[in-house]
């Protein structure tokens, strides 16, 4: 019971809670971004017959960013995602075409 009282009185606990809620909200907004990216990539593929490499690269970074958010809000990482760290960049050997 004493541990709970210490946690409730801890500034670090409340700061972490604030960041967790904030990143959870960002995670929810990213659904709209993903739908937009999907539609743009679909349209580009429809017109050109291939994916847009720049959009594909951004989407790969976004996927890594989402993974960082999930790790942070679930307590698997103490590293705060972007903008507190650099934007994640996919490895150069990641395929950009299917």
């Amino acid at each position: 019971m004493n541990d709970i009282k210490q946690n409730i009185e801890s500034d670090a606990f409340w700061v972490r809670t604030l960041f967790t809620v904030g990143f959870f909200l960002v995670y929810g907004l990213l659904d709209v971004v993903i739908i937009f990216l999907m539609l743009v990539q679909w349209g580009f593929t429809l017109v050109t017959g291939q994916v847009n490499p720049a959009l594909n690269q951004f989407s790969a970074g976004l996927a890594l960013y989402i993974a960082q958010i999930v790790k942070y809000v679930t307590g698997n990482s103490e590293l705060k995602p972007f903008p507190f760290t650099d934007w994640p960049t996919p490895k150069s050997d990641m395929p950009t075409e299917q």
Side-chain angles (χ1 to χ4, degrees), residues 66-77:
I66 291 169
Q68 287 178 349
I69 290 174
V70 170
K71 287 177 185 177
Y72 183 78
V73 301
T74 60
N76 287 294
S77 174

Side-chain angles (χ1 to χ4, degrees), residues 15-53:
V15 169
R16 170 71 190 217
T17 300
L18 180 66
F19 279 114
T20 298
V21 169
F23 280 115
F24 180 75
L25 294 174
V26 169
Y27 177 79
L29 291 173
L30 289 175
D31 283 344
V32 175
V33 174
I34 291 169
I35 291 170
F36 176 76
L37 291 172
M38 176 191 68
L39 292 173
V40 171
Q41 191 71 282
W42 178 83
F44 191 86
T45 305
L46 177 67
V47 172
T48 66
Q50 57 188 0
V51 297
N52 180 306

Side-chain angles (χ1 to χ4, degrees), residues 84-98:
F84 299 96
T85 59
D86 292 336
W87 180 260
T89 54
K91 294 179 182 175
S92 59
D93 61 348
M94 282 187 70
T96 57
E97 247 180 75
Q98 292 187 23

